[in-house]
Amino acid sequence: MSYSPADSLRAVTLDDVRGARKMLSGVARTTAMEGSRHLSQLVGAPVHLKCENLQRTGSFKLRGAYVRIAGLLPEERAAGVVAASAGNHAQGVALASTLLGVRSTVFMPRGAPLPKISATREYGAEVRLHGQVVDETLAAAQEYAAATGAVFIHPFDHPDVIAGQGTVGLEILEQCPQVRTIVVGIGGGGLAAGIAVAVKALRPEVRIVGVQAAGAAAYPASLAAGRPVSIDNPTTMADGIRVGRPGDVPFGIVGDLVDEVRTVSEGELSAALLLCLERAKLVVEPAGASPVAALLSEPDAFEGPVVAVLSGGNVDPVLMERVLRHGMAAQGRYLAVRLRLTDRPGALAAMLGALSAVDANVLDVGHVRTDPRLGLTEAEVEVHLETKGPAHCAEVGRALREAGYTVID
């Protein structure tokens, strides 16, 4: 499966995907397919979760990285490989290279989460920290490739990578042969393109829906323009799909074979991650939860049986805490309120008593007494509460106002 630069836009075929599957035998796991009763009730049809978050290295990226590196010529392997990534691709390249006996160097942003840096090193790569954003890291990796002769392993813009990711599609058809809709997150487009190649060749009637974060949605504009276009400053918590420009190779496939590309909000991503954790008992990163977010946002839009691809589970614990709190707030289960009260002994205890009377669980209290905006006899309090839903949040607000407290919006 080696290629020349002039051949980089060649078509990816079902035979390529089947060949990739043979390469990956004994390397990549056939990941589990789990049913979701909650999502099935919501959609009104069976919903299954394809658990690539349980893949080796914690995401689907191992599949494409291994196939790409395995297809290198002997002299290319001898020169080593280089990649740039903030997480999943880094780990996939590191493990694939080690399994194939190829030296790997991975450039990562200086702000990459420490668990991802440590994991990449443990899988066998030399890690170099460079730049604050992935674009700077990518440029450094490409300069390294030009200077040393190492082969640059792109995370999505290569036929061999797409063929490797397409093996997920073959597994879906075997594990859920009655599937009618497959929902998959899209960043650069490698996973969606690979799944589309495999599935449409065997079951052209299956609908494939791609999902992007609204703040990093390069595909809708690109599809409308008929060519890959860049968006400025893509912003989303879902770093796995935070890509500013579609890949040239996957773009053509997605345009031809993916039936629809939808977008989801940050609140919907948070709610989806929380649902995966609470209902499915699965740790999923925001990008991996994007298909679930799409199901939550418009459940009637999907014909079942539905397979939602959970593409990865490598989430930084610090981010997980923030996202879960965001998801709880979106569901009305977490509430932060600021209010002013008279600065006198017992005032704070009285306010906490008012919250206890409406069964709101206090998580944290911040007490400010010296802000110049406050009067001499005033104090400002910020209270973080665990609540029971939107109706309970409204009840808490009413109770505080009826008790005479000034709630600051």
Side-chain angles (χ1 to χ4, degrees), residues 391 393-403:
C393 289
E395 181 185 358
V396 170
R398 282 195 306 270
L400 289 170
R401 290 184 177 91
E402 288 172 0

Side-chain angles (χ1 to χ4, degrees), residues 114-192:
L114 290 177
K116 294 184 179 182
I117 294 173
S118 298
T120 302
R121 285 184 173 135
E122 289 172 8
Y123 286 128
E126 177 189 348
V127 174
R128 299 192 180 191
L129 301 179
H130 184 92
Q132 299 301 322
V133 296
V134 174
D135 286 344
E136 295 173 352
T137 308
L138 179 63
Q142 291 172 327
E143 289 173 5
Y144 177 89
T148 65
V151 179
F152 179 68
I153 306 299
H154 200 284
F156 50 81
D157 207 7
H158 191 282
D160 292 354
V161 172
I162 293 171
Q165 321 305 27
T167 58
V168 175
L170 295 180
E171 292 178 15
I172 289 172
L173 294 182
E174 293 170 357
Q175 293 171 310
C176 185
Q178 69 276 27
V179 62
R180 297 293 299 175
T181 306
I182 296 173
V183 191
V184 55
I186 296 185
L191 177 60

Side-chain angles (χ1 to χ4, degrees), residues 375-401:
L376 291 175
T377 61
E378 288 183 321
E380 184 174 294
V381 175
E382 181 171 325
V383 189
H384 294 197
L385 305 166
E386 183 180 6
T387 49
K388 302 174 183 179
H392 190 211
C393 289
E395 181 185 358
V396 170
R398 282 195 306 270
L400 289 170
R401 290 184 177 91

Side-chain angles (χ1 to χ4, degrees), residues 307-387:
V307 172
V309 181
L310 307 182
S311 58
N314 291 317
V315 57
D316 178 43
V318 176
L319 176 62
M320 171 72 88
E321 181 182 6
R322 288 165 47 202
V323 171
L324 289 179
R325 186 166 288 189
H326 193 267
M328 290 175 69
Q331 293 186 352
R333 295 167 52 193
Y334 176 86
L335 179 64
V337 294
R338 286 191 305 136
L339 39 94
R340 288 183 182 174
L341 44 80
T342 303
D343 188 12
R344 57 176 174 77
L348 182 59
M351 183 269 295
L352 294 174
L355 292 171
S356 177
V358 290
D359 203 24
N361 184 33
V362 177
L363 301 175
D364 191 25
V365 178
H367 193 198
V368 177
R369 303 172 68 185
T370 58
D371 193 297
R373 296 171 301 170
L374 299 173
L376 291 175
T377 61
E378 288 183 321
E380 184 174 294
V381 175
E382 181 171 325
V383 189
H384 294 197
L385 305 166
E386 183 180 6
T387 49

